[in-house]
Amino acid sequence: MSDSTTARPVVLDVWCELQCPDCHTALEDLRALRARFGDRLELRLRHFPLDKHKHAFSAAQAAEEAAEQGKGWPYAEAVLERTDDLAARGEPVLLEVARELGLDAEEFDTALIDGRHILIVDADQAEGKAIGVTGTPTYVIGGERLDGGKSQEGLRARIEEIAERLLRERTDTP
């Protein structure tokens, strides 16, 4: 018989904005965390579009469409790699990334027009505000909020410490 507590991953909520230069910088840390922990750490993209970035809300909706089509994180990472391009050219970049990943770009276009993912983005943003998120990236793991918008320094190490502790606690619990 397997113990379900050891199979359940630790959750890291990543409050992110896909036009944010700081989120672009944090991408390296997220990839390193994924490489270190594999399926023991679940990274959940949470949307927190900032008013100062004109295309952030559309990018969040597009990321939800990508998730619906089965490539949420690959899409988010690809858009984060092109934050400057997104700032300069806007929504066409979102559709280009969808095509590059083999997603249905027409469906992306339709989703951005009909606003089918607006409620998800709004709910994420409201929840973020409720827990004190003010900028991006912000991480929540084990009930602890870590603000990466001010500085990325030391955050990956802190997330690793918390994840290791939570994983240890789960395996120590009978």
Side-chain angles (χ1 to χ4, degrees):
M1 182 160 97
S2 68
D3 185 356
S4 62
T5 58
T6 58
R8 216 176 57 241
V10 168
V11 174
L12 173 63
D13 282 327
V14 182
W15 298 88
C16 183
E17 195 239 67
L18 297 180
Q19 194 180 334
C20 171
D22 292 329
C23 292
H24 169 88
T25 302
L27 196 50
E28 183 180 326
D29 285 340
L30 294 176
R31 287 176 175 151
L33 289 166
R34 191 179 290 123
R36 176 171 177 179
F37 292 100
D39 61 2
R40 297 180 306 145
L41 181 69
E42 177 187 349
L43 276 72
R44 288 195 311 202
L45 178 63
R46 305 300 301 273
H47 303 289
F48 202 80
L50 302 169
D51 291 337
K52 67 182 179 180
H53 294 129
K54 181 179 178 182
H55 307 292
F57 198 82
S58 293
Q61 292 178 74
E64 283 302 313
E65 181 59 32
E68 200 165 279
Q69 292 188 32
K71 291 191 178 179
W73 269 110
Y75 183 84
E77 288 184 19
V79 172
L80 283 169
E81 290 287 357
R82 297 171 66 172
T83 53
D84 291 339
D85 197 18
L86 178 59
R89 297 191 310 116
E91 286 186 16
V93 172
L94 302 174
L95 300 176
E96 287 169 14
V97 170
R99 280 187 206 93
E100 289 166 7
L101 293 174
L103 299 170
D104 184 342
E106 285 184 31
E107 197 60 32
F108 267 75
D109 197 33
T110 302
L112 291 173
I113 292 167
D114 70 20
R116 68 182 74 158
H117 302 295
I118 288 175
L119 292 177
I120 294 169
V121 176
D122 283 347
D124 272 1
Q125 194 165 37
E127 185 180 337
K129 286 178 181 176
I131 64 167
V133 175
T134 57
T136 58
T138 297
Y139 309 96
V140 177
I141 183 170
E144 188 170 338
R145 190 181 75 238
L146 305 166
D147 182 2
K150 294 184 177 98
S151 170
Q152 295 290 314
E153 190 173 328
L155 280 182
R156 185 169 81 199
R158 182 70 185 125
I159 292 167
E160 288 172 344
E161 285 173 21
I162 295 168
E164 290 290 353
R165 177 178 47 85
L166 293 171
L167 288 166
R168 243 188 343 269
E169 287 172 2
R170 288 183 181 179
T171 57
D172 291 345
T173 305

